[in-house]
Short mmCIF file of all heavy atoms in Angstrom, two decimals:
data_model
loop_
_atom_site.label_atom_id
_atom_site.label_comp_id
_atom_site.label_asym_id
_atom_site.label_seq_id
_atom_site.Cartn_x
_atom_site.Cartn_y
_atom_site.Cartn_z
N SER A 56 68.36 -226.62 207.62
CA SER A 56 69.52 -225.77 207.33
C SER A 56 69.38 -224.42 208.02
O SER A 56 68.27 -223.95 208.27
CB SER A 56 69.71 -225.58 205.82
OG SER A 56 68.71 -224.75 205.30
N ILE A 57 70.53 -223.83 208.31
CA ILE A 57 70.59 -222.52 208.95
C ILE A 57 70.94 -221.50 207.88
O ILE A 57 71.90 -221.70 207.12
CB ILE A 57 71.67 -222.54 210.06
CG1 ILE A 57 71.27 -223.52 211.16
CG2 ILE A 57 71.90 -221.14 210.62
CD1 ILE A 57 72.36 -223.82 212.17
N ASP A 58 70.16 -220.43 207.78
CA ASP A 58 70.40 -219.42 206.75
C ASP A 58 71.76 -218.73 206.93
O ASP A 58 72.51 -218.57 205.98
CB ASP A 58 69.29 -218.37 206.74
CG ASP A 58 67.98 -218.93 206.21
OD1 ASP A 58 68.01 -219.93 205.48
OD2 ASP A 58 66.93 -218.36 206.55
N LEU A 59 72.06 -218.30 208.15
CA LEU A 59 73.31 -217.60 208.43
C LEU A 59 73.92 -218.15 209.71
O LEU A 59 73.33 -218.06 210.78
CB LEU A 59 73.08 -216.09 208.58
CG LEU A 59 74.28 -215.25 209.00
CD1 LEU A 59 75.39 -215.32 207.97
CD2 LEU A 59 73.87 -213.81 209.27
N TYR A 60 75.10 -218.73 209.58
CA TYR A 60 75.85 -219.22 210.74
C TYR A 60 76.90 -218.16 211.03
O TYR A 60 77.84 -217.98 210.26
CB TYR A 60 76.50 -220.57 210.42
CG TYR A 60 77.02 -221.29 211.64
CD1 TYR A 60 76.31 -222.35 212.20
CD2 TYR A 60 78.24 -220.94 212.21
CE1 TYR A 60 76.79 -223.03 213.31
CE2 TYR A 60 78.72 -221.62 213.32
CZ TYR A 60 78.00 -222.66 213.86
OH TYR A 60 78.48 -223.32 214.95
N TYR A 61 76.74 -217.44 212.12
CA TYR A 61 77.58 -216.30 212.43
C TYR A 61 78.52 -216.65 213.58
O TYR A 61 78.08 -216.92 214.69
CB TYR A 61 76.68 -215.12 212.83
CG TYR A 61 77.32 -213.78 212.66
CD1 TYR A 61 77.01 -212.97 211.58
CD2 TYR A 61 78.24 -213.32 213.59
CE1 TYR A 61 77.59 -211.73 211.43
CE2 TYR A 61 78.83 -212.08 213.45
CZ TYR A 61 78.50 -211.29 212.37
OH TYR A 61 79.09 -210.06 212.23
N ALA A 62 79.81 -216.65 213.31
CA ALA A 62 80.81 -216.91 214.34
C ALA A 62 81.14 -215.58 215.01
O ALA A 62 81.81 -214.73 214.43
CB ALA A 62 82.05 -217.54 213.73
N HIS A 63 80.65 -215.38 216.22
CA HIS A 63 80.83 -214.11 216.92
C HIS A 63 82.21 -214.00 217.58
O HIS A 63 82.68 -212.89 217.81
CB HIS A 63 79.76 -213.92 217.99
CG HIS A 63 78.41 -213.68 217.42
ND1 HIS A 63 78.00 -212.44 217.00
CD2 HIS A 63 77.38 -214.52 217.17
CE1 HIS A 63 76.76 -212.52 216.54
NE2 HIS A 63 76.37 -213.76 216.63
N ARG A 64 82.80 -215.11 217.92
CA ARG A 64 84.12 -215.11 218.53
C ARG A 64 85.03 -216.03 217.73
O ARG A 64 84.62 -217.11 217.33
CB ARG A 64 84.06 -215.61 219.98
CG ARG A 64 83.17 -214.79 220.88
CD ARG A 64 83.81 -213.46 221.23
NE ARG A 64 83.00 -212.69 222.12
CZ ARG A 64 82.19 -211.71 221.74
NH1 ARG A 64 82.06 -211.41 220.48
NH2 ARG A 64 81.49 -211.03 222.62
N ILE A 65 86.26 -215.60 217.51
CA ILE A 65 87.23 -216.38 216.75
C ILE A 65 88.23 -217.03 217.70
O ILE A 65 88.76 -216.37 218.60
CB ILE A 65 87.97 -215.47 215.73
CG1 ILE A 65 86.98 -214.80 214.78
CG2 ILE A 65 89.03 -216.26 214.96
CD1 ILE A 65 86.14 -215.74 213.96
N ASP A 66 88.45 -218.32 217.51
CA ASP A 66 89.41 -219.08 218.32
C ASP A 66 90.82 -218.70 217.87
O ASP A 66 91.26 -219.12 216.81
CB ASP A 66 89.15 -220.57 218.13
CG ASP A 66 90.00 -221.45 219.03
OD1 ASP A 66 91.02 -220.96 219.56
OD2 ASP A 66 89.65 -222.63 219.17
N LYS A 67 91.51 -217.93 218.69
CA LYS A 67 92.84 -217.46 218.31
C LYS A 67 93.93 -218.49 218.55
O LYS A 67 95.09 -218.26 218.25
CB LYS A 67 93.14 -216.15 219.04
CG LYS A 67 92.19 -215.06 218.58
CD LYS A 67 92.47 -213.73 219.19
CE LYS A 67 91.39 -212.78 218.66
NZ LYS A 67 91.57 -211.44 219.01
N THR A 68 93.56 -219.68 219.06
CA THR A 68 94.54 -220.75 219.25
C THR A 68 94.67 -221.61 218.00
O THR A 68 95.53 -222.48 217.94
CB THR A 68 94.17 -221.65 220.45
OG1 THR A 68 92.96 -222.36 220.16
CG2 THR A 68 94.00 -220.83 221.72
N LEU A 69 93.79 -221.38 217.02
CA LEU A 69 93.79 -222.16 215.78
C LEU A 69 93.92 -221.23 214.58
O LEU A 69 93.45 -220.09 214.63
CB LEU A 69 92.45 -222.89 215.60
CG LEU A 69 92.05 -223.94 216.59
CD1 LEU A 69 90.61 -224.34 216.35
CD2 LEU A 69 92.94 -225.15 216.44
N PRO A 70 94.47 -221.73 213.49
CA PRO A 70 94.42 -220.93 212.26
C PRO A 70 92.96 -220.77 211.83
O PRO A 70 92.17 -221.71 211.92
CB PRO A 70 95.19 -221.79 211.24
CG PRO A 70 95.94 -222.80 212.03
CD PRO A 70 95.19 -222.99 213.32
N ILE A 71 92.59 -219.58 211.38
CA ILE A 71 91.21 -219.32 210.95
C ILE A 71 90.80 -220.28 209.83
O ILE A 71 89.64 -220.61 209.67
CB ILE A 71 91.02 -217.84 210.53
CG1 ILE A 71 89.54 -217.52 210.26
CG2 ILE A 71 91.87 -217.50 209.32
CD1 ILE A 71 88.66 -217.54 211.47
N GLU A 72 91.78 -220.76 209.07
CA GLU A 72 91.50 -221.69 207.97
C GLU A 72 90.85 -222.98 208.48
O GLU A 72 90.02 -223.57 207.80
CB GLU A 72 92.79 -222.02 207.20
CG GLU A 72 93.34 -220.87 206.40
CD GLU A 72 94.23 -219.92 207.20
OE1 GLU A 72 94.44 -220.15 208.41
OE2 GLU A 72 94.72 -218.94 206.60
#
Side-chain angles (χ1 to χ4, degrees):
S56 71
I57 296 169
D58 289 337
L59 174 62
Y60 193 102
Y61 203 103
H63 290 278
R64 301 286 182 262
I65 302 300
D66 185 342
K67 295 183 182 186
T68 67
L69 296 170
I71 187 68
E72 291 85 1

